[in-house]
Amino acid sequence: VVQVEDKIYLKDTAKRLGIPATKSYFGAHDDDWDAAAFGGAMRKLCVDKVDAFIIKATHLAWSAGQKIVRNWQSVCDGGDDAVTQKVGELVDFIKAEVLGQKAS
């Protein structure tokens, strides 16, 4: 059941079974969260020309722990310092609003 209830595991299971699922750019659980890996994934979005994405805690209900990020390519166009600053803001959000919250 965990393989279906947990969205990170679900996407891995769907991929292994050849079932299409929504695109996931980064996924981590509390015990394997790595801010540097997250930053690398966000920088890859610059290269891949992704302009919008959603950060969503899989363990929280409704819109808790959710952030819609738009105009990412504008951040990328601002150079490495702009990307580093924005990634830092997103990491702070994740630490406070995602990792720091109890399941609901």
Side-chain angles (χ1 to χ4, degrees), residues 25-93:
Y25 300 110
F26 182 82
H29 291 103
D30 189 27
D31 62 342
D32 65 355
W33 161 252
D34 180 341
F38 173 77
M42 296 301 96
R43 285 175 174 77
K44 186 169 183 329
L45 298 182
C46 293
V47 174
D48 293 346
K49 302 295 185 196
V50 173
D51 197 40
F53 54 92
I54 296 173
I55 295 173
K56 174 67 175 103
T58 61
H59 69 289
L60 300 175
W62 305 102
S63 62
Q66 179 173 299
K67 179 180 272 305
I68 299 171
V69 180
R70 293 185 175 99
N71 302 313
W72 185 249
Q73 289 304 305
S74 295
V75 174
C76 299
D77 292 343
D80 193 52
D81 289 344
V83 173
T84 298
Q85 178 180 341
K86 189 62 176 180
V87 167
E89 293 170 11
L90 294 175
V91 166
D92 290 345
F93 168 81

